[in-house]
């Protein structure tokens, strides 16, 4: 188990280096490009298999205990150690990262990115996986910072080199926001390490802030919280996200939403809550307020994009929806209760599955129709997805209703538990204020349902053709006994053969659909892992 976790973290980095080397003659296949794409699938598949074996060997009777640990001195002068381990909080995120990266590599193998050499693309994808996996596995503050920063450069290049329109502006916005937030976060880590004499996250959690004065905790939480909030992203530090998602290639959007946003909320749970509880208690009402505003703001932005005539982009709408969904995660964390924090962790996983699927589907729609503009998709495509690509339309409708929190699917439980946590926050927090935030969050769920149902109606069903005396005349208007029937009847000049779901797309999307249903019907699978670990974390290391 110890070697297995080190293997999971290190192999993608070694695979990235190997991807840049010439392929051996016997492994080139039809071309060197195909060989490197197959290499990406092989490496990410091996990491996913190792993660599944790690989960199978995990002691589920003691999910609060750090397992598969490695603890080696690295920089003795600073007290920095190569300390790795997983518990019930980090294991699900590790599995989610390995799964989504493998599915992205599989998708890329059959649909290579349009742009520069696939070698660089695969290498960057594997470096991104290493940084994300390390973030969820390391137990040293400085190592956490290094892993946290490792993902920035590959994501910058994925957007800037393989993205769509305005990709360079979006990439610069992404890197500047996240780097500035990270600098402030590093200052908070150094403050904690210098004041306590250790950067070990397990020791700091066990100490539970007893080695830090209240004023030091307040400063540390402010500094660390800003860096984590940018990555989450929390309103109003979210403005880099819509541009990055809109410009990023499909797999870049999937990984950005599916795993990278979770790094910020994971840091709040793993570091801020147990290390500086008094400081967190000071800022919890403000964090909850920003979260509640973000929930409503994200939904209103999506409603504005979804309305007829707004020329809203489907990928941009999904990006704004992430601001609202991550608001529920932050609200759950701000309650500082086991119920709220468990809800936040559940919502993290649910958002990764559902929004990852949504971005896959948005990319597929854009590939087929050449646009993600909602007005074009609703009008120019005639019968829209249900009539022209029914399987793709059904999958988009499924992902939408899962995202709006339909009971029985994964999106329901996390948001419900976060609201329950706000109903009865931790001792010392202002309950009337949190009740207000709970009501605002509940209102946000209604807005979420509204814009997602509008998207399903417009994109999946299309705009019905006008009838009666106001119906348009001309060469595109069907008339008489020779009028076309069926789904293409209203498609007009834009009608063309559009392929439905391909086999490789079905292979990449089916695991996300299945896990969304499984987590919705059997939430105890995930909550049974997280709850004991959360209870221990909030109680200062005592089970």
């Amino acid at each position: 188990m110890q070697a297995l976790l080190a293997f999971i973290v290190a192999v993608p980095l070694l695979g990235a280096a190997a991807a840049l080397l010439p392929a051996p003659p016997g492994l080139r296949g039809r071309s060197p490009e195909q060989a490197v794409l197959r290499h990406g699938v092989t490496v990410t598949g091996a990491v996913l298999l190792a993660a599944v074996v790690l989960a199978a060997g995990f002691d589920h009777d003691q999910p609060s205990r750090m397992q598969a640990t490695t603890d080696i001195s690295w920089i003795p002068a600073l007290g920095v150690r190569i300390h790795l381990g997983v518990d019930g909080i980090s294991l699900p995120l590790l599995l989610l990262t390995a799964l989504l990266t493998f599915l992205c590599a599989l998708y890329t193998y059959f649909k290579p990115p349009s742009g520069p050499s696939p070698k660089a693309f695969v290498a960057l994808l594997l470096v991104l996986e290493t940084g994300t996996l390390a973030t969820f596995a390391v137990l040293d503050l400085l190592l956490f910072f290094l892993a946290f920063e490792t993902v920035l450069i590959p994501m910058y290049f994925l957007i800037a080199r393989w993205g769509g329109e305005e990709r360079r502006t979006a990439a610069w916005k992404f890197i500047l926001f996240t780097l500035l937030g990270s600098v402030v976060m590093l200052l908070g880590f150094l403050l904690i390490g210098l004041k306590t004499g250790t950067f070990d996250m397990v020791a700091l959690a066990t100490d539970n802030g007893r080695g830090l004065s209240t004023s030091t905790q307040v400063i540390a939480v402010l500094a660390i919280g800003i860096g984590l909030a940018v990555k989450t992203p929390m309103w109003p530090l979210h403005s880099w996200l819509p541009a990055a998602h809109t410009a990023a290639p499909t797999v870049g959007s999937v990984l950005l939403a599916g795993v990278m946003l979770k790094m910020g909320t994971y840091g709040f749970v793993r570091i801020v809550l147990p290390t500086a509880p008094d400081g967190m208690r000071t800022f919890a009402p403000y964090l909850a307020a920003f979260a509640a505003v973000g929930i409503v703001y994200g939904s209103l932005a999506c409603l504005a994009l979804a309305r007829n005539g707004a020329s809203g982009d489907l990928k941009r709408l999904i990006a704004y929806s992430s601001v609202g969904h991550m608001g529920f995660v932050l609200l759950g964390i701000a309650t500082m209760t086991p119920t709220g924090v468990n809800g936040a962790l559940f919502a993290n996983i649910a958002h990764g599955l559902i929004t990852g699927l949504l971005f896959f589907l948005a990319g597929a729609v854009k590939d087929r129709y050449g646009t993600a503009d909602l007005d074009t998709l609703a009008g120019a495509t005639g019968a829209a997805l249900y009539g022209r690509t029914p399987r793709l339309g059904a999958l988009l409708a499924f992902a939408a209703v899962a995202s709006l929190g339909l009971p029985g699917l994964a999106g329901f439980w996390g948001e419900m538990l976060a609201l329950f946590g706000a109903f009865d926050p931790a001792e010392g927090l202002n309950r009337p204020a949190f009740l207000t935030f709970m009501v605002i969050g509940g209102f946000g769920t209604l807005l979420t349902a509204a814009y997602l149902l509008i998207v399903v109606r417009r994109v999946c069903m299309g705009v019905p053709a006008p009838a009666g005396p106001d119906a348009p005349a001309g060469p595109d208007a069907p008339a008489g006994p020779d009028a076309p029937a069926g789904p293409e009847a209203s498609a007009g000049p834009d009608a063309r053969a559009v392929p439905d779901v391909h086999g490789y797309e079905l292979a990449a999307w089916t695991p996300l659909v299945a896990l969304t249903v499984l987590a919705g019907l059997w939430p105890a699978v995930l909550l049974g892992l997280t709850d004991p670990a959360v209870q221990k974390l909030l109680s200062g290391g005592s089970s």
Side-chain angles (χ1 to χ4, degrees):
M1 292 285 284
Q2 184 181 28
L4 198 58
L5 182 58
F7 173 89
I8 290 169
V9 173
V11 160
L13 187 61
L14 299 175
L20 298 175
L21 300 174
L27 298 177
R28 287 180 184 171
R30 292 192 301 269
S31 67
E33 288 76 14
Q34 186 201 39
V36 75
L37 293 172
R38 185 173 61 245
H39 171 78
V41 176
T42 303
V43 173
T44 56
V47 172
L48 176 60
L49 179 61
V52 171
V53 173
L54 178 68
F58 187 81
D59 186 354
H60 292 262
D61 293 329
Q62 300 185 59
S64 62
R65 180 174 62 86
M66 282 295 170
Q67 302 181 36
T69 55
T70 298
D71 192 1
I72 304 170
S73 179
W74 184 35
I75 309 176
L78 297 177
V80 180
R81 307 182 68 81
I82 299 177
H83 193 182
L84 307 176
V86 290
D87 62 357
I89 293 172
S90 53
L91 181 63
L93 290 167
L94 209 70
L95 286 167
L96 177 67
T97 301
L99 173 65
L100 283 178
T101 311
F102 169 71
L103 296 180
C104 286
L106 182 65
Y107 185 87
T108 302
Y109 177 76
F110 290 97
K111 187 170 182 57
S114 57
S117 167
K119 276 191 173 186
F121 188 91
V122 171
L124 290 170
L125 193 69
L126 292 174
V127 172
L128 181 65
E129 181 178 30
T130 289
T132 311
L133 290 169
T135 300
F136 300 135
V138 298
L139 297 172
D140 183 276
L141 288 180
L142 293 187
L143 277 184
F144 178 89
F145 175 78
L146 291 176
F148 201 84
E149 296 303 288
T150 298
V151 303
L152 301 186
I153 301 304
M155 182 53 72
Y156 167 81
F157 282 110
L158 287 175
I159 297 173
R161 301 294 299 278
W162 288 272
E165 296 178 3
E166 300 185 2
R167 58 184 182 270
R168 295 192 182 279
T169 302
W172 273 111
K173 203 170 185 180
F174 162 76
I175 199 76
L176 289 176
F177 264 81
T178 49
L179 276 178
L180 288 174
S182 298
V183 168
V184 180
M185 182 177 69
L186 177 60
L187 295 176
F189 287 163
L190 293 175
L191 175 63
I192 288 177
L194 294 174
K195 289 292 185 179
T196 60
T198 182
F199 291 102
D200 188 89
M201 290 156 65
V202 176
L204 290 168
T206 303
D207 190 59
N208 203 222
R210 286 183 285 271
L212 298 169
S213 65
T214 300
S215 59
T216 301
Q217 289 189 36
V218 168
I219 296 171
V221 170
L222 179 61
I224 297 171
I226 289 174
L228 297 175
V230 170
K231 186 65 73 72
T232 298
M234 180 187 76
W235 179 91
L237 303 174
H238 69 284
S239 59
W240 62 269
L241 183 71
H245 270 310
T246 305
T250 296
V251 296
S253 293
V254 171
L255 292 175
L256 181 57
V259 294
M260 282 187 63
L261 302 189
K262 314 302 175 286
M263 295 164 64
T265 52
Y266 174 77
F268 274 108
V269 175
R270 175 66 71 196
I271 299 170
V272 178
L273 274 176
T275 302
D278 293 337
M280 182 63 187
R281 196 170 285 108
T282 299
F283 283 106
Y286 303 102
L287 180 63
F290 284 128
V293 172
I295 292 169
V296 175
Y297 169 83
S299 298
L300 291 176
C302 290
L303 279 171
L305 290 170
R307 66 183 175 83
N308 187 29
S311 297
D313 186 276
L314 181 58
K315 289 185 70 177
R316 184 175 288 271
L317 182 143
I318 298 170
Y320 272 110
S321 77
S322 291
V323 176
H325 288 305
M326 298 311 289
F328 282 102
V329 177
L330 291 172
L331 178 61
I333 293 170
T335 66
M336 299 183 69
T337 62
T339 300
V341 175
N342 275 303
L345 294 172
F346 198 104
N348 254 348
I349 301 299
H351 179 265
L353 295 172
I354 297 168
T355 307
L357 177 60
L358 278 170
F359 275 116
F360 266 134
L361 294 168
V365 169
K366 189 171 183 178
D367 289 339
R368 283 160 173 77
Y369 295 104
T371 181
D373 179 81
L374 292 169
D375 290 335
T376 304
L377 293 174
T381 59
L385 299 188
Y386 283 162
R388 307 191 66 189
T389 52
R391 294 182 182 85
L392 184 60
L395 284 167
L396 181 60
F398 169 83
V401 297
S403 183
L404 65 83
L406 184 72
L409 297 176
F412 172 73
W413 296 105
E415 295 181 2
M416 184 195 71
L417 289 173
L419 294 176
F420 276 2
F423 179 78
D424 189 17
E427 186 178 352
L429 297 180
N430 188 326
R431 188 163 186 255
F434 273 83
L435 287 175
T436 303
F437 303 144
M438 181 194 74
V439 172
I440 295 172
F443 177 64
T445 62
L446 299 178
L447 295 177
T448 302
Y451 72 74
L452 285 169
L453 291 176
I454 290 173
V455 169
V456 170
R457 179 178 62 82
R458 298 192 67 211
V459 177
C460 294
M461 300 177 184
V463 177
D470 296 326
D476 298 328
D482 297 325
E488 301 295 340
S490 61
D494 292 307
R496 64 186 188 276
V498 179
D500 208 338
V501 178
H502 298 293
Y504 70 88
E505 293 174 327
L506 197 62
W509 303 342
T510 298
L512 301 179
V513 173
L515 289 172
T516 298
V517 175
L518 176 64
L521 295 178
W522 196 9
V525 173
L526 184 55
L527 293 174
L529 280 173
T530 62
D531 185 53
V534 168
Q535 297 276 2
K536 180 177 180 179
L537 209 64
L538 294 178
S539 63
S542 57
S543 301

